[in-house]
Amino acid sequence: MSDELTITLPDGTPKKVARGTSVADFIRMQIGTGLAKAALYAKLDDEELDLTRPLERGGALKVFTNKSPEGLDLIRHDAAHVVASVVQRLFLGTQVTIGPSIEDGFYYDFYKETPFTPDDLARIETAANEEIKRDQAFVRRELSKDEAISFFQNKGEKFKVEIVEDIFAKGARTLTVYRHGDWTDFCLGPHAPSTGRIGFIKILSSSGAHWRGDPRNPMLQRVYGTAFFSKAELEAHLARLEEAKKRDHRKLGKDLGLFTFHPFAPGAAFWEPKGTTLYTVLSNAMRRLLLKNGYVEIKTPLLFNRGLWEKSGHWGKYKENMFLVEDSDTKEHDFSLKPMNCPSHHLYYSMKKYSYRDLPLRFHSQDVLHRNESSGTLGGLTRVRQFAQDDAHIYAAESQITDEVKRFVGLLEVIYKAFGLTYSAKFSTRPNARLGDDAQWDRSEAALKTALEATGLAYEIKPGEGAFYGPKIDFDVGDSIGRKWQLGTIQLDYLAPERFDLTYVGDDNREHRPVVIHRAIYGSFERFIAILVEHYAGAFPVWLAPVQATVLTLSEKYVDYGRAVLGRLTDAGARVELDESADKLGAKIRNAEIMKIPYLLVVGEKEASAQTVAVRGHGGKDLGTLPLEAFTKQLSAEGNIPF
């Protein structure tokens, strides 16, 4: 074994280094002292390394600093360790469990007999930030099974012991632990060199959470927090959180009369009249766009025998997420409500014969779907059990993949632009748990990557995050306050045509397999509406608003003219309401503002005699007095769906 290793830098430059050199020393000697000071951790090929780790093999090395998203994720995990250490110091007898970094922060679960109070959380935050200032080193070591179990047993950490036993039962040879100060936790790592690199910690909230998510297990106390490298970044994030609270779709959905829920139907929305209008506008807009672009709409059954799900592979891999229905003859749960449209579309395709001249076939559905999500994960419209998608499946020849992906991206661009949503692409490759052989995956990944690159979009690679049947391109959208949401997706499937024996007759008069392209742009209507409510803070553009204008009468004397204005605008296709109540004008305006209606039309003696309307925009903007016919044309133009 050579004592000299070759380490390749991100720009392709090879560097020679002695085996056993620490990552930190390599960076300092071979790259520069500036990067050495800024470095948090490194990755050698796919292995993440602390800076103190010795280099024992060659490979491609990438260094992460506070300028990278990975660096921010790292210090948030570091922060979870710091928070756990101070909780155990402040609240004697508290046991620790797990504490991962999550999107925008971290949490740690504790076993404590009483919940944390707001005062407790404030004490934890103060103590955690004091711990950062001590700048204690994170020190890594490895323990054998006996050493690890003995270590945590002696500390009285029964939850840790349970996790350690599970880890070794799965074949681990050693357990990695990290110490800062006098506190130790097990962790795969990596960690920053010291607690001082974290920056600033903010404790956000606490809640209850069952151990391992099982209601039969003890209740834990979960502390949520976040961390940022600078105070300015933290304060900007907290400001975004405050803005997000104001925009919470659950609150606005209730205040604006869009949707509601009932305990008798958990995870399934009741759409109120205004919410139904919003839903219908989005549904019809998508339907119209797709029909103009070569799709055909079909509807398929809601309930299917297990035979379909066995053929598709879902019975073995997805059964726990399906609502099973008992067969009245066999008394077995051999039927399921469909959780997705794909298998039923494949079944529909298989019932007919197609020629290469018929391809590509683009089947679109907006059928109701059901997924058996656990009750603890349900939340407003973003996680539901009953939903619908702007779903479509394209059956194409392999040579048509690139054109179909480009066509899809073109539609996606039009739609997201109409809502003022920015987007970015991610290319996800084969997961560990998958169907199909490596040759098939090589072929599908290469085909989808070629198609993606033909669109000219920049993209991020997400190794191992593909669907179990094929690679995919996911699209993250950015909303008006900078949050990211995963929405659109396009997935390439070579497996379904094999499992369903799908064929078409080629120009050589022989049977060939099509490929299947799964695709959606909204995703689910429910989740998309939740995002739009928060994106617009409930103040929808005119074309999307459930009520586009409300007519406000100055007094009972002008009700007849108010009704005439309502009738004229309604006849022109606008969605308009009339407030002919006896309330004073100020109260009527306040009520309309609360409902975030785009236009308020005040009518009194002057307007009635001149056949005009006094127009106010949402937010108190005085837009002057317009002839009724002129405003009708303006509202009609603004009400046109922009795609």
Side-chain angles (χ1 to χ4, degrees):
M1 182 182 295
S2 172
D3 288 333
E4 190 174 62
L5 306 173
T6 299
I7 303 297
T8 306
L9 303 185
D11 65 0
T13 304
K15 296 284 187 179
K16 299 294 184 182
V17 65
R19 182 184 301 277
T21 301
S22 72
V23 175
D25 285 344
F26 172 81
I27 297 170
R28 178 175 52 80
M29 294 184 299
Q30 300 285 5
I31 304 178
T33 56
L35 183 60
K37 289 178 182 178
L40 294 170
Y41 77 105
K43 185 181 282 189
L44 185 64
D45 295 330
D46 292 326
E47 182 183 8
E48 294 179 328
L49 300 173
D50 302 299
L51 299 182
T52 56
R53 292 282 296 279
L55 293 166
E56 299 292 351
R57 62 179 179 83
L61 188 80
K62 184 176 181 181
V63 180
F64 298 94
T65 70
N66 62 2
K67 303 298 183 186
S68 65
E70 294 88 349
L72 193 55
D73 286 340
L74 181 85
I75 64 142
R76 287 170 174 168
H77 183 54
D78 294 349
H81 278 238
V82 169
V83 167
S85 71
V86 301
V87 165
Q88 288 204 301
R89 188 167 71 240
L90 294 173
F91 305 94
L92 298 179
T94 299
Q95 293 188 48
V96 288
T97 61
I98 59 170
S101 62
I102 56 176
E103 185 176 3
D104 289 336
F106 64 87
Y107 70 79
Y108 208 107
D109 285 347
F110 302 94
Y111 180 66
K112 183 175 175 288
E113 290 187 359
T114 57
F116 292 104
T117 67
D119 286 344
D120 292 338
L121 299 182
R123 289 176 64 201
I124 293 167
E125 182 180 308
T126 299
N129 283 301
E130 288 173 353
E131 193 87 347
I132 290 173
K133 294 175 185 176
R134 295 190 182 98
D135 197 20
Q136 297 170 327
F138 283 104
V139 181
R140 177 186 185 275
R141 67 186 176 114
E142 294 185 16
L143 303 179
S144 67
K145 177 181 179 181
D146 290 343
E147 288 173 328
I149 291 176
S150 175
F151 177 82
F152 288 107
Q153 280 180 338
N154 291 338
K155 291 169 68 69
E157 299 284 7
K158 65 178 184 180
F159 296 95
K160 291 291 188 186
V161 170
E162 184 178 328
I163 300 173
V164 170
E165 288 174 339
D166 286 350
I167 290 171
F168 282 103
K170 292 176 181 176
R173 295 184 178 181
T174 59
L175 184 80
T176 307
V177 296
Y178 282 83
R179 173 178 59 82
H180 70 276
D182 59 0
W183 192 83
T184 301
D185 197 359
F186 72 76
C187 178
L188 290 174
H191 283 276
S194 65
T195 59
R197 306 296 290 276
I198 292 172
F200 296 86
I201 290 174
K202 178 68 179 178
I203 301 302
L204 300 172
S205 63
S206 64
S207 66
H210 287 286
W211 170 234
R212 295 191 160 178
D214 189 334
R216 296 168 296 183
N217 287 339
M219 177 65 75
L220 306 176
Q221 303 304 319
R222 176 170 293 180
V223 173
Y224 287 97
T226 191
F228 282 88
F229 290 109
S230 73
K231 196 162 189 178
E233 290 173 316
L234 174 59
E235 288 174 349
H237 175 72
L238 296 178
R240 285 194 298 271
L241 290 181
E242 281 302 309
E243 182 61 28
K245 282 183 185 177
K246 298 176 191 174
R247 295 166 177 260
D248 190 324
H249 76 279
R250 292 166 294 187
K251 179 181 183 303
L252 287 175
K254 180 179 179 181
D255 293 347
L256 300 178
L258 301 178
F259 59 87
T260 189
F261 290 89
H262 193 281
F264 286 172
F270 285 78
W271 292 96
E272 299 192 51
K274 288 174 179 153
T276 300
T277 297
L278 177 62
Y279 196 116
T280 302
V281 170
L282 289 169
S283 172
N284 288 343
M286 178 61 74
R287 177 177 286 112
R288 186 183 70 171
L289 181 70
L290 295 185
L291 293 179
K292 284 195 305 185
N293 281 273
Y295 289 75
V296 293
E297 185 170 8
I298 63 172
K299 295 185 73 64
T300 63
L302 176 66
L303 186 68
F304 285 95
N305 180 276
R306 65 183 288 177
L308 175 66
W309 311 116
E310 288 173 337
K311 183 182 283 288
S312 68
H314 288 91
W315 195 259
K317 290 190 173 290
Y318 201 77
K319 184 178 175 183
E320 67 276 7
N321 297 109
M322 297 162 69
F323 280 104
L324 304 184
V325 178
E326 183 182 281
D327 185 314
S328 59
D329 294 326
T330 66
K331 304 305 180 185
E332 298 289 335
H333 288 81
D334 283 344
F335 283 81
S336 170
L337 299 176
K338 65 179 178 184
M340 68 280 296
N341 288 308
C342 342
S344 63
H345 282 191
H346 305 333
L347 197 62
Y348 177 78
Y349 181 98
S350 72
M351 294 160 65
K352 298 185 178 183
K353 295 291 185 183
Y354 298 101
S355 154
Y356 70 95
R357 294 186 181 88
D358 299 314
L359 303 187
L361 274 170
R362 307 181 186 99
F363 296 152
H364 169 60
S365 289
Q366 295 182 11
D367 292 351
V368 173
L369 305 172
H370 291 85
R371 293 183 186 174
N372 193 7
E373 306 283 359
S374 67
S375 58
T377 65
L378 301 177
L381 294 177
T382 57
R383 196 69 175 265
V384 290
R385 288 174 170 170
Q386 178 181 296
F387 60 99
Q389 296 177 314
D390 66 307
D391 206 6
H393 295 89
I394 301 166
Y395 299 82
E398 196 167 20
S399 61
Q400 296 170 325
I401 293 172
T402 295
D403 284 345
E404 288 304 307
V405 171
K406 289 169 70 175
R407 174 190 286 263
F408 170 78
V409 170
L411 293 177
L412 179 140
E413 163 76 20
V414 166
I415 291 172
Y416 290 168
K417 184 177 180 181
F419 294 105
L421 298 168
T422 60
Y423 67 91
S424 58
K426 300 179 297 189
F427 179 62
S428 299
T429 60
R430 70 195 75 183
N432 290 329
R434 59 183 183 267
L435 298 176
D437 58 29
D438 285 343
Q440 190 175 64
W441 276 89
D442 289 342
R443 184 177 169 194
S444 59
E445 286 177 353
L448 190 58
K449 187 177 181 183
T450 297
L452 174 57
E453 291 178 345
T455 68
L457 290 177
Y459 64 91
E460 177 187 1
I461 295 179
K462 290 291 192 179
E465 295 189 14
F468 73 84
Y469 49 76
K472 61 178 181 171
I473 306 165
D474 289 327
F475 295 86
D476 287 345
V477 302
D479 68 12
S480 59
I481 59 172
R483 294 172 302 178
K484 296 291 185 183
W485 306 85
Q486 197 278 303
L487 280 184
T489 188
I490 187 164
Q491 304 166 0
L492 184 58
D493 188 351
Y494 281 75
L495 188 66
E498 297 285 346
R499 296 181 78 94
F500 282 83
D501 193 23
L502 307 182
T503 62
Y504 69 92
V505 177
D507 58 4
D508 57 1
N509 211 32
R510 296 170 61 185
E511 287 195 338
H512 299 267
R513 292 262 184 246
V515 295
V516 174
I517 298 172
H518 309 243
R519 46 111 293 164
I521 297 176
Y522 292 163
S524 82
F525 283 90
E526 283 72 8
R527 187 165 175 272
F528 191 60
I529 288 172
I531 292 167
L532 291 182
V533 169
E534 299 191 8
H535 173 59
Y536 291 117
F540 299 107
V542 173
W543 70 270
L544 188 56
V547 178
Q548 297 169 323
T550 183
V551 183
L552 312 177
T553 56
L554 275 175
S555 72
E556 185 180 350
K557 290 188 292 182
Y558 310 111
V559 166
D560 286 345
Y561 181 60
R563 290 174 181 172
V565 171
L566 173 72
R568 178 68 188 95
L569 293 172
T570 301
D571 288 345
R575 300 185 290 274
V576 187
E577 290 183 343
L578 169 65
D579 185 348
E580 58 182 43
S581 68
D583 292 342
K584 292 184 176 180
L585 180 61
K588 293 182 179 183
I589 290 173
R590 281 195 299 275
N591 291 337
E593 285 289 338
I594 288 170
M595 298 309 292
K596 300 179 184 287
I597 296 170
Y599 287 117
L600 285 61
L601 309 179
V602 179
V603 295
E605 181 179 2
K606 183 170 64 173
E607 289 78 24
S609 60
Q611 296 291 291
T612 60
V613 287
V615 186
R616 292 169 58 97
H618 173 63
K621 295 172 243 170
D622 185 352
L623 302 176
T625 300
L626 293 175
L628 176 58
E629 286 306 310
F631 179 76
T632 301
K633 290 178 182 178
Q634 177 184 323
L635 189 60
S636 295
E638 292 183 37
N640 287 331
I641 295 171
F643 59 85

